[in-house]
Amino acid sequence: MKFITHSHRFGLEIFNEVKELNVLWGELESALHSISDIDLQEHFRINYEGKSKSISQTINALVKDRLTKAGWTEESHLFADKMYREQGGRWRLDFSKATEIADTTSGVEGRKQPAGVAVEVAFNHGEAIAWNLLKPVIAGELNHVPQETKIGAGVGVVICATKSLKDAGGFDSAVGEYEKILEYLRPMRNFLTVPMVIIGLEAPESFHLALHKEGSKSIGI
């Protein structure tokens, strides 16, 4: 799949300059670029044709397949506390991967500090945009609740649909798209303290999903 990016608090620059994080960014880029139009069509046809309105579940499944094969943790818990672990996906990231980078602030040569990448795939309602942006921040900042996923001096990533993908892929109009997510970054800047990259997935080049009305439901075909 093709995509566009927006860098928040120098997220892309950090990926480009810190070699350990650049490796993780490369894995993420490769995972997305490896998903072809044919992959999308075949997966949707086999699993969701006549059942689902959009290709969002297909994209989720294919991203999951690529990243887990590359050693990423799926549905990683933000907190170690049992109360939060048992609340379904509310306190989980879609994917994360940890690494270590040089600690340039310690003054000790060779000392490392924890880092990583926290990924949220945001194909849900536009009202959830602020929460989708805050999840990587929770993984990157200190918290008085014991954390399970910590990206330390790392970068958060939010993957979403551009308007063109929403139109071509049968997405509901209420889904929060890339263009709308960018509008949130400026007023929330003081709260979104972790460097981030917003990835906007673009429409397939060779097909679009046609919607067929079945009763009160719209089905993608």
Side-chain angles (χ1 to χ4, degrees), residues 87-152:
Q87 291 187 31
R90 187 177 303 165
W91 300 100
R92 288 201 298 250
L93 291 160
D94 287 314
F95 305 98
S96 67
K97 194 169 186 179
T99 186
E100 289 185 328
I101 64 175
D103 186 350
T104 57
T105 63
S106 68
V108 179
E109 187 176 351
R111 176 172 289 181
K112 298 283 189 177
Q113 62 176 323
V117 177
V119 178
E120 191 68 11
V121 182
F123 292 151
N124 42 5
H125 197 285
E127 290 184 354
I129 289 175
W131 180 233
N132 290 329
L133 290 169
L134 280 171
K135 278 189 180 181
V137 176
I138 293 173
E141 292 285 9
L142 295 174
N143 201 298
H144 65 280
V145 180
Q147 292 166 285
E148 182 167 319
T149 301
K150 303 177 186 180
I151 64 169

Side-chain angles (χ1 to χ4, degrees), residues 31-70:
L32 296 177
H33 284 314
S34 73
I35 300 173
S36 68
D37 284 9
I38 292 175
D39 292 333
L40 293 170
Q41 287 176 294
E42 289 186 350
H43 190 279
F44 181 82
R45 178 179 57 79
I46 293 170
N47 297 280
Y48 297 111
E49 188 171 34
K51 303 174 185 177
S52 181
K53 178 183 177 183
S54 79
I55 58 173
S56 61
Q57 291 168 292
T58 279
I59 296 172
N60 270 318
L62 293 175
V63 170
K64 175 182 175 180
D65 174 71
R66 271 49 168 190
L67 288 183
T68 52
K69 285 179 178 176

Side-chain angles (χ1 to χ4, degrees), residues 5 7 10-26 29 155 197:
T5 59
S7 183
F10 305 104
L12 272 176
E13 291 78 0
I14 292 169
F15 274 138
N16 290 331
E17 293 174 9
V18 181
K19 62 180 182 180
E20 296 88 350
L21 292 174
N22 185 258
V23 170
L24 302 187
W25 175 246
E29 280 189 306
V155 179
V197 176

